[in-house]
Amino acid sequence: MHQLNNPRRIRFELEGLRAVAAILVAIYHIWFNRVSGGVDVFFVVSGFLITTSLLSMYRKNGRIFYFSYIIKLLKRLLPTAWLIGIATFAFSFLVLPVFTRYQVLSEFIASSFYFQNWRLATDAVDYLAQNNGASPFQHFWALSIQFQFYIIWLVLFFITLTFYRLFRKAEFNHILLLTIGVIIVASFSYSVYLTNVNQPVAYYHTFTRVWEFGIGGILALTIHKITVSKPLAWVFGWSGLFGLLSGGIIFQVSSIFPGYAALWPVFSAVLIIVAGNQVERLSAYRVLSWKPLVKFGGISYAFYLWHWPLLIFYYAYFDLESVSFFDGLGIIGLASIFAYLTIHFVEKPIRSMQVSVRKTASVITVVAAIIIIPTVYYGQTSFSKEGPEVNIGTEMEEHPGAKVMAMDGLSPKDLDFDEPFKPGLDVAYQDRADIYPDGCLVSEGDTEVKVCEYGSMENFTHTIALVGGSHSAHWLPMLQEIAEDYPIKITTYLKGNCRFTTESRDGFSECDDWFESVMDELSTSDPDLIFSVGDVGSPKEDFDLVSEGFVEAWEYFNEENIPLLLVRDTPWYKESTLDCINENTENPGECKVARDEVIRDPSPLSMENPPPNVTTVDVTDSFCDDDYCYYIVGNVVTHFDSNHMTATFSRTLAPIMEEEILEPLNITDKY
């Protein structure tokens, strides 16, 4: 048996290092609304400890008990994570707005089973999800990556040991060192690449972070061979501690990590580990091995998990966007108390139980079922129905929506209905066009044209191409409603943040390539009508005329003899409509905004000489009267956020838009 490492000794500075990293994470979250880089330190320490642990097991037993190791790992990680997760989930229903429940539910499941990082990576390229508020489970992304790394490392050890036993061409340590080195190079290279190409995804991607754990693994393999003089160890220790404390100040971690920038906290941790306890007098080791800090390191895992939901609940309950100094201390204190209670009365008793691996696995399976079955059932019954759809024919009386303007004696502000508004707050945020669940909105980083088809799929006589970004997409339910009665097929050419224009925009260069490809495809497919949004309703973009890029696109299709139906953009509000409605459930009519604050008059679409293929439509009066624009019109919620229509309200626009759609198509008869 090879001697793989020196006898184990307690590394007090590692507990202190974890404590400092956890406290830094909380401080930066609470008072600075920034990310500190402390999580990267956790990753290095985790890589160091698991590699040391696996090497110790192999040295002691001559083999690694993989299944047993995983069960023991779960026994250590799950009690704390699941307890805090369940408590957070339950408290979310008491404190957070009703319309956030779907997000909370999905993130609870993702966090409980360690794929929250991939859930957030998906949201990072999801145009609408990018506007989601911070959830109380958001911080579980780091634990998800950590657990995934543990599985990767077990596989790595299995492969390396198998190779070693088959060939025995080199020392096991040397093979393992070489393998980890290759993984570090590959992971770091990919991290630099993806951070440059798509930083939001790179931030949550497992493989962009594996190199950080790998650095810890290399240290575990080589630390006994590294000799550092006391003066140099003193410099290393303080340099590492300074680097750890200053990283979040120097870098905007959340927007540039991981990539090259993550080298800063990673090598800060490396310097501290290498310095070790060689110097005690006036050293960083003396600080990090301070008993209170070491004890806090023992509860740092639970502290990290508790501090974030407490912060989110603080914001929600007190309706604040920042934390005072003393309130922040209160959050840290409460998180520390909860962490201590969790570790000492839940985790430690469970870890100390003398239960067989098989029984432990059975208990974990039962608890997992207890978590997943009720939550999935709740999700299916609450959110997976066929939506809060308004049947235009049978429910028009109580939920006329946009049609309210055409009804005698009613206006957008009228809310005197016997039935509650639709969609309800619990499902309103998910009341979206079919293109979202169908994956038909091209995501960030992708310029390939994706075509989806709706409406009449057989025996259709006319085709409408729906083109543009999300503000074109929310008109799909209206078009589908009309296509139920007429032989119309709808094809979609949609990409988030992209518009029906040839004009380049800073930060959205990929829209140029995408729209150029769309223009080519539409010229080939030759639809009977192109439907799109003809201007920009955002109050952030203050202009009175349609920009030249829009007109150039219109003229291009004029030369192709394809008619365009361009609708004026719908109102963009400064707040989410659902926030206001949630706060005014007894009197939702209070949720309105002065028309002149969100609507430019005259319309930018009211140009004197548009190309002859252009027809324009303005439905602003379906949202607004002369004075105000309303969040609920005709007993239907108009928007599921600040600027996107609910599918329900879009469908209620069908009777208003029907004639405008049918006229350029020359359709007169229904099926």
Side-chain angles (χ1 to χ4, degrees), residues 434-435 438 440 452-457 476 480 489-490 492:
D434 289 338
I435 61 113
D438 292 346
C440 294
C452 293
E453 298 178 342
Y454 299 93
S456 301
M457 304 304 294
L476 177 62
Q480 288 174 292
K489 182 173 79 171
I490 306 158
T492 65

Side-chain angles (χ1 to χ4, degrees), residues 172-402:
F172 174 68
N173 267 24
H174 295 164
I175 299 172
L176 189 59
L177 196 64
L178 177 62
T179 306
I180 294 176
V182 171
I183 290 174
I184 289 173
V185 172
S187 172
F188 181 71
S189 300
Y190 184 67
S191 179
V192 171
Y193 162 76
L194 192 59
T195 301
N196 184 55
V197 172
N198 195 330
Q199 187 274 333
V201 172
Y203 193 85
Y204 300 113
H205 200 292
T206 303
F207 198 62
T208 62
R209 300 284 188 164
V210 167
W211 69 272
E212 301 179 21
F213 295 93
I215 293 292
I218 291 289
L219 274 178
L221 288 167
T222 60
I223 191 72
H224 62 288
K225 295 182 179 179
I226 299 175
T227 303
V228 180
S229 66
K230 287 188 176 182
L232 192 57
W234 189 91
V235 173
F236 278 8
W238 279 115
S239 298
L241 188 55
F242 172 78
L244 174 59
L245 296 174
S246 63
I249 299 173
I250 296 173
F251 303 105
Q252 179 51 275
V253 175
S254 61
S255 61
I256 66 171
F257 269 45
Y260 289 115
L263 289 168
W264 184 277
V266 166
F267 280 102
S268 295
V270 168
L271 289 173
I272 290 171
I273 294 173
V274 170
N277 64 346
Q278 295 188 58
V279 185
E280 291 201 21
R281 182 178 175 80
L282 300 177
S283 66
Y285 174 82
R286 190 69 164 212
V287 174
L288 294 173
S289 61
W290 183 44
K291 283 187 178 180
L293 208 56
V294 171
K295 287 185 177 295
F296 193 87
I299 65 169
S300 59
Y301 169 56
F303 173 81
Y304 172 83
L305 289 177
W306 274 118
H307 89 281
W308 180 257
L310 290 175
L311 176 62
I312 297 302
F313 294 148
Y314 171 89
Y315 287 142
Y317 184 79
F318 294 105
D319 193 23
L320 296 172
E321 295 181 357
S322 61
V323 184
S324 69
F325 177 74
F326 289 106
D327 285 355
L329 289 180
I331 292 172
I332 290 176
L334 195 58
S336 301
I337 293 171
F338 284 177
Y340 178 85
L341 296 175
T342 302
I343 295 297
H344 288 275
F345 293 99
V346 177
E347 181 183 309
K348 283 188 175 181
I350 291 176
R351 287 177 61 184
S352 63
M353 287 181 181
Q354 298 300 316
V355 182
S356 68
V357 170
R358 182 174 296 180
K359 287 184 178 179
T360 303
S362 300
V363 171
I364 291 172
T365 302
V366 170
V367 176
I370 292 173
I371 290 175
I372 198 168
I373 292 174
T375 49
V376 169
Y377 175 77
Y378 175 79
Q380 288 179 335
T381 55
S382 300
F383 307 112
S384 299
K385 302 172 184 176
E386 289 194 2
E389 184 170 332
V390 171
N391 184 296
I392 301 300
T394 61
E395 297 193 23
M396 183 60 73
E397 184 176 342
E398 287 297 338
H399 300 93

Side-chain angles (χ1 to χ4, degrees), residues 4-21:
L4 297 177
N5 211 333
N6 283 344
R8 294 181 63 183
R9 67 176 181 82
I10 299 176
R11 303 280 309 240
F12 291 112
E13 81 278 12
L14 293 187
E15 287 297 287
L17 180 58
R18 292 203 297 186
V20 171

Side-chain angles (χ1 to χ4, degrees), residues 433-480:
D434 289 338
I435 61 113
Y436 294 104
D438 292 346
C440 294
L441 188 77
V442 178
S443 60
E444 183 179 339
D446 189 359
T447 59
E448 183 179 353
V449 177
K450 182 179 292 185
V451 182
C452 293
E453 298 178 342
Y454 299 93
S456 301
M457 304 304 294
E458 298 179 358
N459 302 321
F460 61 90
T461 60
H462 295 77
T463 301
I464 297 176
L466 178 62
V467 186
S470 60
H471 279 237
S472 293
H474 62 198
W475 286 97
L476 177 62
M478 178 276 295
L479 293 173
Q480 288 174 292

Side-chain angles (χ1 to χ4, degrees), residues 19 89 97 107 109 132 189 197 230 259 263 265 273 281 285 311 367 376 384 469 517-518 541 557 567 620 639 649:
F89 181 65
E107 293 198 21
I109 293 294
N132 285 352
S189 300
V197 172
K230 287 188 176 182
L263 289 168
I273 294 173
R281 182 178 175 80
Y285 174 82
L311 176 62
V367 176
V376 169
S384 299
S517 298
V518 168
E541 301 186 41
F557 289 107
V567 66
T620 302
H639 292 57
F649 192 76

Side-chain angles (χ1 to χ4, degrees), residues 144-161:
S144 297
I145 289 181
Q146 187 175 23
F147 183 76
Q148 291 159 26
F149 164 77
Y150 290 155
I151 302 302
I152 292 171
W153 230 232
L154 285 174
V155 173
L156 170 68
F157 266 75
F158 173 78
I159 294 173
T160 307
L161 273 173

